[in-house]
Amino acid sequence: MESSATSYIVEHLTRAIVEHKLLPGTKLAEQKLADHFGVSRTLVRQALFQLSQNRLIRLEPARGAFVATPSVQEARQVFAVRRMLEAEMVRAFMAQRTSAKMRRLKQHVAAEKKAMERNDVGQRTELLGDFHVRMAELMGNEVLAQLLGELISRCALITLMYQSSSAAEHSHEEHALIVAALAGDDVEHAVRLMQQHLVHVEAGLTFDRDMPSSDLSMALSSLTP
């Protein structure tokens, strides 16, 4: 029971961070979280520790837990790792692609487009990140999917802090181009498109932006306990 409750808190806080409801630097007060989720502060501490292991929050002695604020150096390192990892993922996906896998990937891109048209920032953010995880899931590689999920959660913080709104609009279009390339037979073209996509996302980061701020109570009000 305790394990499932902790996982529930981790899942909901991760989603709030990825969907930009909890912003970088937000203080995560243990008692507020315990009251919101109807659990003990011990379970909240366990959840916060797990999130700190994933680099989504930082724990500071005598100060408490805060949503992480990735540095410029960390941002560049995360994107470097993603370029290396996802280039090989594209090659592996191409080697085992099927019409069913391609159909499901196209459905995901269609969902992205609908979220863009509705200007649903939370859903759009989640779907754009999940595109990359979805490829790994369709390959049946749970380890890769988990690893990418952790990296993309960190990227959600990075893009929130440093990405302009105009740069964010290009991600969906580039996903559509990647899917079109995957439907063809040119493996290296598909790999180049993925690498270029990640280069473009990183190039769209503005590292001198003002730090956003958030209020925990307002963010929690948007979560279902």
Side-chain angles (χ1 to χ4, degrees), residues 58-195:
R58 68 180 190 276
L59 299 175
E60 298 187 5
R63 293 195 66 217
F66 298 82
V67 177
T69 52
S71 66
V72 173
Q73 181 182 20
E74 181 182 349
R76 296 205 181 281
Q77 289 175 351
V78 167
F79 276 97
V81 171
R82 285 191 60 187
R83 284 194 297 274
M84 290 184 282
L85 192 62
E86 296 187 48
E88 292 307 311
M89 178 177 71
V90 169
R91 290 190 174 94
F93 186 93
M94 289 284 282
Q96 56 177 267
R97 63 182 174 154
T98 64
S99 57
K101 290 176 183 178
M102 290 305 306
R103 182 169 60 253
R104 293 172 75 175
L105 204 56
K106 289 176 182 178
Q107 289 170 348
H108 186 97
V109 172
E112 287 181 5
K113 184 177 181 180
K114 289 180 180 178
M116 298 285 290
E117 292 171 346
R118 294 194 307 269
N119 198 28
D120 186 335
V121 176
Q123 186 71 4
R124 179 193 69 194
T125 301
E126 183 177 6
L127 287 168
L128 289 175
D130 279 353
F131 171 80
H132 302 263
V133 179
R134 191 74 182 121
M135 286 183 62
E137 290 175 340
L138 289 171
M139 292 164 57
N141 192 325
E142 295 181 6
V143 173
L144 178 58
Q146 182 180 11
L147 182 58
L148 273 177
E150 292 172 1
L151 282 171
I152 288 163
S153 293
R154 293 172 72 173
C155 277
L157 281 172
I158 291 165
T159 55
L160 176 59
M161 289 177 62
Y162 302 120
Q163 189 178 54
S164 68
S165 57
S166 58
E169 294 174 2
H170 297 304
S171 288
H172 163 69
E173 297 170 0
E174 292 180 343
H175 286 175
L177 290 174
I178 291 167
V179 170
L182 289 169
D185 294 318
D186 191 340
V187 177
E188 293 308 315
H189 179 55
V191 170
R192 282 195 301 274
L193 285 174
M194 178 63 83
Q195 291 176 322

